[in-house]
PDB file of all heavy atoms in Angstrom:
ATOM      1  N   ALA M 235      -0.799 -19.263  -4.265  1.00 97.00           N
ATOM      2  CA  ALA M 235       0.593 -19.614  -4.185  1.00 97.00           C
ATOM      3  C   ALA M 235       0.901 -20.545  -3.073  1.00 97.00           C
ATOM      4  O   ALA M 235       1.696 -21.563  -3.252  1.00 97.00           O
ATOM      5  CB  ALA M 235       1.492 -18.392  -4.045  1.00 97.00           C
ATOM      6  N   GLY M 236       0.223 -20.353  -1.924  1.00 96.00           N
ATOM      7  CA  GLY M 236       0.414 -21.338  -0.858  1.00 96.00           C
ATOM      8  C   GLY M 236      -0.004 -22.690  -1.052  1.00 96.00           C
ATOM      9  O   GLY M 236       0.524 -23.736  -0.524  1.00 96.00           O
ATOM     10  N   GLU M 237      -0.973 -22.941  -2.040  1.00 96.00           N
ATOM     11  CA  GLU M 237      -1.498 -24.151  -2.323  1.00 96.00           C
ATOM     12  C   GLU M 237      -0.392 -25.150  -2.979  1.00 96.00           C
ATOM     13  O   GLU M 237      -0.398 -26.313  -2.982  1.00 96.00           O
ATOM     14  CB  GLU M 237      -2.660 -24.206  -3.257  1.00 96.00           C
ATOM     15  CG  GLU M 237      -3.846 -23.587  -2.451  1.00 96.00           C
ATOM     16  CD  GLU M 237      -5.057 -23.393  -3.434  1.00 96.00           C
ATOM     17  OE1 GLU M 237      -4.895 -23.512  -4.691  1.00 96.00           O
ATOM     18  OE2 GLU M 237      -6.180 -23.340  -2.943  1.00 96.00           O
ATOM     19  N   VAL M 238       0.599 -24.501  -3.684  1.00 97.00           N
ATOM     20  CA  VAL M 238       1.622 -25.261  -4.422  1.00 97.00           C
ATOM     21  C   VAL M 238       3.014 -25.072  -3.783  1.00 97.00           C
ATOM     22  O   VAL M 238       3.866 -25.805  -4.332  1.00 97.00           O
ATOM     23  CB  VAL M 238       1.691 -24.819  -5.830  1.00 97.00           C
ATOM     24  CG1 VAL M 238       0.157 -25.150  -6.440  1.00 97.00           C
ATOM     25  CG2 VAL M 238       1.895 -23.357  -6.094  1.00 97.00           C
ATOM     26  N   ALA M 239       3.225 -24.263  -2.905  1.00 97.00           N
ATOM     27  CA  ALA M 239       4.545 -23.970  -2.360  1.00 97.00           C
ATOM     28  C   ALA M 239       4.985 -24.908  -1.316  1.00 97.00           C
ATOM     29  O   ALA M 239       4.086 -25.487  -0.506  1.00 97.00           O
ATOM     30  CB  ALA M 239       4.665 -22.579  -1.823  1.00 97.00           C
ATOM     31  N   ASN M 240       6.298 -25.244  -1.220  1.00 97.00           N
ATOM     32  CA  ASN M 240       6.816 -26.037  -0.251  1.00 97.00           C
ATOM     33  C   ASN M 240       7.567 -25.369   0.793  1.00 97.00           C
ATOM     34  O   ASN M 240       7.998 -25.944   1.942  1.00 97.00           O
ATOM     35  CB  ASN M 240       7.873 -27.087  -0.922  1.00 97.00           C
ATOM     36  CG  ASN M 240       7.076 -28.003  -1.834  1.00 97.00           C
ATOM     37  OD1 ASN M 240       6.053 -28.505  -1.526  1.00 97.00           O
ATOM     38  ND2 ASN M 240       7.646 -28.167  -3.009  1.00 97.00           N
ATOM     39  N   GLY M 241       7.768 -24.010   0.673  1.00 97.00           N
ATOM     40  CA  GLY M 241       8.410 -23.217   1.624  1.00 97.00           C
ATOM     41  C   GLY M 241       8.588 -21.868   1.022  1.00 97.00           C
ATOM     42  O   GLY M 241       8.035 -21.496  -0.088  1.00 97.00           O
ATOM     43  N   PRO M 242       9.228 -20.926   1.760  1.00 97.00           N
ATOM     44  CA  PRO M 242       9.350 -19.555   1.325  1.00 97.00           C
ATOM     45  C   PRO M 242       9.910 -19.377  -0.084  1.00 97.00           C
ATOM     46  O   PRO M 242       9.434 -18.510  -0.869  1.00 97.00           O
ATOM     47  CB  PRO M 242      10.286 -18.881   2.395  1.00 97.00           C
ATOM     48  CG  PRO M 242      10.231 -19.745   3.523  1.00 97.00           C
ATOM     49  CD  PRO M 242       9.999 -21.101   3.051  1.00 97.00           C
ATOM     50  N   GLY M 243      10.912 -20.124  -0.488  1.00 97.00           N
ATOM     51  CA  GLY M 243      11.479 -19.977  -1.769  1.00 97.00           C
ATOM     52  C   GLY M 243      10.616 -20.309  -2.901  1.00 97.00           C
ATOM     53  O   GLY M 243      10.439 -19.508  -3.834  1.00 97.00           O
ATOM     54  N   SER M 244       9.984 -21.459  -2.841  1.00 98.00           N
ATOM     55  CA  SER M 244       8.990 -21.820  -3.854  1.00 98.00           C
ATOM     56  C   SER M 244       7.745 -20.941  -3.755  1.00 98.00           C
ATOM     57  O   SER M 244       7.076 -20.638  -4.827  1.00 98.00           O
ATOM     58  CB  SER M 244       8.597 -23.317  -3.711  1.00 98.00           C
ATOM     59  OG  SER M 244       8.070 -23.611  -2.513  1.00 98.00           O
ATOM     60  N   PHE M 245       7.402 -20.397  -2.646  1.00 97.00           N
ATOM     61  CA  PHE M 245       6.338 -19.495  -2.488  1.00 97.00           C
ATOM     62  C   PHE M 245       6.519 -18.241  -3.234  1.00 97.00           C
ATOM     63  O   PHE M 245       5.653 -17.720  -4.001  1.00 97.00           O
ATOM     64  CB  PHE M 245       5.983 -19.216  -0.923  1.00 97.00           C
ATOM     65  CG  PHE M 245       4.860 -18.375  -0.965  1.00 97.00           C
ATOM     66  CD1 PHE M 245       3.549 -18.756  -0.759  1.00 97.00           C
ATOM     67  CD2 PHE M 245       4.880 -16.837  -0.856  1.00 97.00           C
ATOM     68  CE1 PHE M 245       2.378 -18.016  -0.500  1.00 97.00           C
ATOM     69  CE2 PHE M 245       3.836 -16.051  -0.696  1.00 97.00           C
ATOM     70  CZ  PHE M 245       2.576 -16.603  -0.550  1.00 97.00           C
ATOM     71  N   ALA M 246       7.800 -17.664  -3.168  1.00 97.00           N
ATOM     72  CA  ALA M 246       8.072 -16.394  -3.820  1.00 97.00           C
ATOM     73  C   ALA M 246       7.817 -16.490  -5.309  1.00 97.00           C
ATOM     74  O   ALA M 246       7.355 -15.695  -5.941  1.00 97.00           O
ATOM     75  CB  ALA M 246       9.509 -15.977  -3.460  1.00 97.00           C
ATOM     76  N   VAL M 247       8.320 -17.618  -5.940  1.00 97.00           N
ATOM     77  CA  VAL M 247       8.103 -17.865  -7.365  1.00 97.00           C
ATOM     78  C   VAL M 247       6.717 -18.116  -7.673  1.00 97.00           C
ATOM     79  O   VAL M 247       6.056 -17.526  -8.597  1.00 97.00           O
ATOM     80  CB  VAL M 247       8.949 -18.997  -7.787  1.00 97.00           C
ATOM     81  CG1 VAL M 247       8.644 -19.316  -9.259  1.00 97.00           C
ATOM     82  CG2 VAL M 247      10.428 -18.722  -7.562  1.00 97.00           C
ATOM     83  N   ALA M 248       5.970 -18.876  -6.910  1.00 98.00           N
ATOM     84  CA  ALA M 248       4.592 -19.225  -7.056  1.00 98.00           C
ATOM     85  C   ALA M 248       3.693 -17.976  -6.983  1.00 98.00           C
ATOM     86  O   ALA M 248       2.687 -17.869  -7.633  1.00 98.00           O
ATOM     87  CB  ALA M 248       4.033 -20.349  -6.106  1.00 98.00           C
ATOM     88  N   PHE M 249       4.088 -17.034  -6.137  1.00 98.00           N
ATOM     89  CA  PHE M 249       3.305 -15.890  -5.900  1.00 98.00           C
ATOM     90  C   PHE M 249       3.298 -15.031  -7.125  1.00 98.00           C
ATOM     91  O   PHE M 249       2.314 -14.456  -7.530  1.00 98.00           O
ATOM     92  CB  PHE M 249       3.764 -15.154  -4.623  1.00 98.00           C
ATOM     93  CG  PHE M 249       3.054 -13.895  -4.280  1.00 98.00           C
ATOM     94  CD1 PHE M 249       1.839 -13.930  -3.871  1.00 98.00           C
ATOM     95  CD2 PHE M 249       3.593 -12.653  -4.454  1.00 98.00           C
ATOM     96  CE1 PHE M 249       1.004 -12.822  -3.617  1.00 98.00           C
ATOM     97  CE2 PHE M 249       2.932 -11.402  -4.115  1.00 98.00           C
ATOM     98  CZ  PHE M 249       1.586 -11.538  -3.703  1.00 98.00           C
ATOM     99  N   LEU M 250       4.474 -14.839  -7.695  1.00 98.00           N
ATOM    100  CA  LEU M 250       4.560 -13.954  -8.970  1.00 98.00           C
ATOM    101  C   LEU M 250       3.764 -14.701 -10.066  1.00 98.00           C
ATOM    102  O   LEU M 250       2.994 -13.861 -10.760  1.00 98.00           O
ATOM    103  CB  LEU M 250       5.930 -13.908  -9.458  1.00 98.00           C
ATOM    104  CG  LEU M 250       6.879 -13.013  -8.674  1.00 98.00           C
ATOM    105  CD1 LEU M 250       8.315 -13.018  -9.258  1.00 98.00           C
ATOM    106  CD2 LEU M 250       6.453 -11.638  -8.578  1.00 98.00           C
ATOM    107  N   ASP M 251       3.783 -15.998 -10.171  1.00 98.00           N
ATOM    108  CA  ASP M 251       2.940 -16.683 -11.101  1.00 98.00           C
ATOM    109  C   ASP M 251       1.472 -16.470 -10.857  1.00 98.00           C
ATOM    110  O   ASP M 251       0.665 -16.304 -11.793  1.00 98.00           O
ATOM    111  CB  ASP M 251       3.266 -18.148 -11.203  1.00 98.00           C
ATOM    112  CG  ASP M 251       4.674 -18.426 -11.792  1.00 98.00           C
ATOM    113  OD1 ASP M 251       5.218 -17.497 -12.401  1.00 98.00           O
ATOM    114  OD2 ASP M 251       5.210 -19.549 -11.589  1.00 98.00           O
ATOM    115  N   ALA M 252       1.062 -16.488  -9.675  1.00 97.00           N
ATOM    116  CA  ALA M 252      -0.351 -16.400  -9.261  1.00 97.00           C
ATOM    117  C   ALA M 252      -0.792 -14.971  -9.510  1.00 97.00           C
ATOM    118  O   ALA M 252      -1.907 -14.754  -9.967  1.00 97.00           O
ATOM    119  CB  ALA M 252      -0.355 -16.700  -7.731  1.00 97.00           C
ATOM    120  N   LEU M 253      -0.047 -13.970  -9.223  1.00 98.00           N
ATOM    121  CA  LEU M 253      -0.446 -12.656  -9.631  1.00 98.00           C
ATOM    122  C   LEU M 253      -0.631 -12.484 -11.107  1.00 98.00           C
ATOM    123  O   LEU M 253      -1.611 -11.827 -11.555  1.00 98.00           O
ATOM    124  CB  LEU M 253       0.723 -11.599  -9.215  1.00 98.00           C
ATOM    125  CG  LEU M 253       0.694 -11.217  -7.662  1.00 98.00           C
ATOM    126  CD1 LEU M 253       1.989 -10.352  -7.423  1.00 98.00           C
ATOM    127  CD2 LEU M 253      -0.623 -10.426  -7.314  1.00 98.00           C
TER     128      LEU M 253
END
Side-chain angles (χ1 to χ4, degrees):
E237 291 179 343
V238 298
N240 296 314
S244 56
F245 181 89
V247 175
F249 182 66
L250 289 178
D251 289 345
L253 281 174

